[in-house]
Amino acid sequence: MPLSCPTDHYAENYTRTCVPKCNGTYADTNLKVCVDICPTSYFADPVTRLCATTCTNNASISLHRNFENKTCVSSCS
């Protein structure tokens, strides 16, 4: 993994490069790395590809926090 990336990039584990957006993974904005699973108290938001404390909610899409799998989903089961 790169030792440091520019402030607007994330360290990508698979390619070992700095990327502006995580592809297929989620951006941990605190550690500035791409992760498969977001840290505790964060949810994986598939719209923004970020680990977030709240899920995307706007006029076209409304996601809810699924506490079981720590992912933002369109409806809780």
Side-chain angles (χ1 to χ4, degrees):
M1 181 181 311
L3 293 177
S4 64
C5 290
T7 56
D8 60 342
H9 283 65
Y10 301 93
E12 215 295 326
N13 291 333
Y14 301 113
T15 61
R16 300 199 182 284
T17 59
C18 294
V19 295
K21 183 178 179 183
C22 297
N23 186 18
T25 56
Y26 300 94
D28 181 330
T29 56
N30 292 323
L31 298 177
K32 301 301 286 180
V33 296
C34 297
V35 296
D36 291 320
I37 299 170
C38 292
T40 304
S41 73
Y42 286 86
F43 296 87
D45 189 322
V47 175
T48 63
R49 303 305 299 177
L50 297 173
C51 293
T53 55
T54 59
C55 297
T56 299
N57 287 305
N58 59 35
S60 60
I61 189 167
S62 178
L63 297 181
H64 308 277
R65 293 176 289 181
N66 182 322
F67 288 91
E68 185 175 321
N69 66 12
K70 304 298 286 177
T71 304
C72 297
V73 293
S74 57
S75 63
C76 295
S77 53

